[in-house]
Each structure stands twice: as C-alpha cells, then as structure tokens.
C-alpha cells in the first residue's frame, strides 16, 4: 500500500441492515470552528451528488441551535425533518465533548424511525488524551501503515498520554550522529529542517519535541531516552 508493507490485523464485520433511504453527515474541526455537511444522497454516490451537499459553519463557542441547523434539513419531508435535526445536533455535541477532529457517516439511515449509522469513521485529537482517557476508554492511535513503534518511542508515547504537556519522540536513524531535544513544537521543526538544509539529514537521529510545561520528572525521563538513544550506536 503506497510502497509500504505490513500486516493487516483488524477487520470489521457487520450485519447487513435493509434500508431504503441513505443520508450523509460530515463534521470537520477547523481553526475557527466546525463545518457541518449534510445530504439526502448518501453512500458511494455522494461524490456524484456533491452539488446536493449543504454545508454550514459553526464558530467556536457558538451554540448549534435548531435555527442554525435548519438550512441543512430544510428540504427533508416533515415526518423525518425533526428526527434528523435532533440527531445532527446530538452528533455535534458528541463531536465536541469527545474532542473529535473529523467525523463522517456515509451513509446513515432510519431504522424503525431512528437514525442508524451504516458506515462511520472518525478521528480524535490525540493531544486531548490527558483529559479524555476515561471517556475514550482503552483506545489506541494506530501508526502509519507499515510502521511499528520502537520501545523508546512507546515509552515516550506513554509519558505523553499521561500529561497535559506535549512529549514527542521519533527515531529517524538509530546510527545518526545528530540528536536533538528541543523545547517548543515550532522550534523543534525549525531545528530539524535546518539540519536537513545544511546537508545533514542523513545524520539526524531523531525528531524530538517537549512543550506545554512538563514537570521536572517528565523532562528527566524524556532526557534519559534521548541520551540513551544517542549513545547506543557504534
């Protein structure tokens, strides 16, 4: 897949739900709010019917009221308009409460008069794990296909999940001669880019970033990881 190889370990098997209607719902978190899209033409043909997709923007902090939702469901039959409107508002409330960044139901239908997602995918903001771990439960954020975390990366990832600070660590070249430990997300990217611009990208051992005021113990454990990796090579 895209030049990467790796095991496929997760499959989802669901029963077929007989239905006559299909609807489309999409919510995307943006810089200043959320875009909500809805269409009466859901399913695999949504791209061919994109002109029938209605989209509204809800600014951050604004209340998603019935009046705001009204343009999305304006053309629906009266007997289902209220149900779809209430469902859309409930999904948006869940979207915000659980810190989703993306959620799409394509399609969802009505089963016995109640909305029922037939196909759904969502993306959570992993930086919100520290405040949502009880709501999310035992959820794992998958690595890019074909990539497996090293023990040191897993250790730092575990630290990151337990703090409101940001602790990131990726091994790029275990035998690299240049290892960084930079405070600040923007600064860490600039340092890594500068190393590459100077012609030493192949020598860069890692990408590392700590920010958001981690405590002294967290910084100490983080520094030990960086030093251990930097001194473990030949």
């Amino acid at each position: 897949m895209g030049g990467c190889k790796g095991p496929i370990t997760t499959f989802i098997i669901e029963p077929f739900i007989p239905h006559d209607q299909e609807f489309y719902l999409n919510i995307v978190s943006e810089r200043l709010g959320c875009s909500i899209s809805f269409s009466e033409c859901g399913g695999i043909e949504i791209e061919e019917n994109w002109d029938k997709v209605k989209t509204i923007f809800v600014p951050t902090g604004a209340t998603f009221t019935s009046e705001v939702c009204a343009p999305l469901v304006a053309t629906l039959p009266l007997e289902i308009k209220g149900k779809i409107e209430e469902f859309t508002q409930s999904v948006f409330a869940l979207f915000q409460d659980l810190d989703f960044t993306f959620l799409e139901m394509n399609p969802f239908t009505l089963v016995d008069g109640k909305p029922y997602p037939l196909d759904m995918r969502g993306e959570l903001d992993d930086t919100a794990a520290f405040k949502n771990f009880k709501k999310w439960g035992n959820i794992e954020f998958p690595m890019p296909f074909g990539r497996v975390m090293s023990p040191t990366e897993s250790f730092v990832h575990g630290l990151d999940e337990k703090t409101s600070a940001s602790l990131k660590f990726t091994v790029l070249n275990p035998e690299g001669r240049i290892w960084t430990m930079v405070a600040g997300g923007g600064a860490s990217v600039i340092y890594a880019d500068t190393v590459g611009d100077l012609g030493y990208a192949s020598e860069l051992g890692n990408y590392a970033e700590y920010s958001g005021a981690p405590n002294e113990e967290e910084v100490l454990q983080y520094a030990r990881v960086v030093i251990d990796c930097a001194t473990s090579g030949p």
Side-chain angles (χ1 to χ4, degrees):
M1 296 175 65
C4 295
K5 296 181 179 179
I8 299 176
T9 58
T10 304
F11 300 86
I12 300 176
I13 301 175
E14 299 179 348
F16 175 74
I17 304 297
H19 60 281
D20 298 318
Q21 297 172 298
E22 291 186 343
F23 306 98
Y24 170 82
L25 179 64
N26 176 277
I27 307 176
V28 180
S29 177
E30 299 181 9
R31 182 176 179 84
L32 300 178
C34 293
S35 291
I36 306 176
S37 300
F38 173 82
S39 176
E40 301 173 45
C41 304
I44 60 175
E45 298 178 354
I46 185 63
E47 293 182 356
E48 287 75 15
N49 294 291
W50 201 250
D51 58 320
K52 297 181 180 179
V53 176
K54 305 178 186 70
T55 301
I56 62 173
F57 181 77
V58 181
T60 300
T63 303
F64 188 37
T65 62
S66 297
E67 290 74 16
V68 176
C69 183
L72 294 177
V73 298
T75 58
L76 288 174
L78 290 177
E79 61 269 20
I80 64 172
K81 180 182 295 186
K83 296 176 182 178
I84 299 297
E85 180 181 302
E86 182 181 357
F87 177 65
T88 303
Q89 290 177 289
S90 298
V91 172
F92 183 69
L94 185 73
F95 182 92
Q96 292 188 306
D97 181 55
L98 296 182
D99 285 290
F100 276 91
T101 59
F102 175 89
L103 192 151
E104 182 181 67
M105 297 182 185
N106 185 30
F108 74 92
T109 189
L110 295 176
V111 176
D112 297 328
K114 297 180 180 180
Y116 188 99
L118 297 173
D119 189 7
M120 182 175 72
R121 70 186 185 99
E123 297 176 7
L124 295 169
D125 182 357
D126 61 351
T127 62
F130 74 97
K131 69 171 185 171
N132 282 328
F133 64 93
K134 290 184 178 180
K135 296 178 182 178
W136 289 352
N138 188 25
I139 190 170
E140 295 183 9
F141 289 88
M143 299 290 291
F145 180 73
R147 188 178 184 280
V148 179
M149 274 192 182
S150 67
T152 51
E153 291 172 330
S154 296
F155 177 76
V156 174
H157 182 69
L159 291 177
D160 183 55
E161 288 186 327
K162 297 179 178 66
T163 177
S164 59
S166 177
L167 302 171
K168 301 294 185 287
F169 182 80
T170 302
V171 176
L172 302 176
N173 178 9
E175 299 181 3
R177 297 187 300 116
I178 303 172
W179 293 79
T180 65
M181 180 177 166
V182 183
S188 63
V189 174
I190 292 173
Y191 267 74
D193 286 347
T194 301
V195 171
D197 290 342
L198 293 175
Y200 295 98
S202 61
E203 294 291 346
L204 186 60
N206 71 314
Y207 168 77
E209 172 251 317
Y210 68 103
S211 59
N215 60 42
E216 184 175 335
E217 178 63 23
E218 291 168 344
V219 175
L220 175 61
Q221 294 188 60
Y222 185 81
R224 283 174 173 166
V225 167
V226 177
I227 293 173
D228 285 347
C229 288
T231 57
S232 65

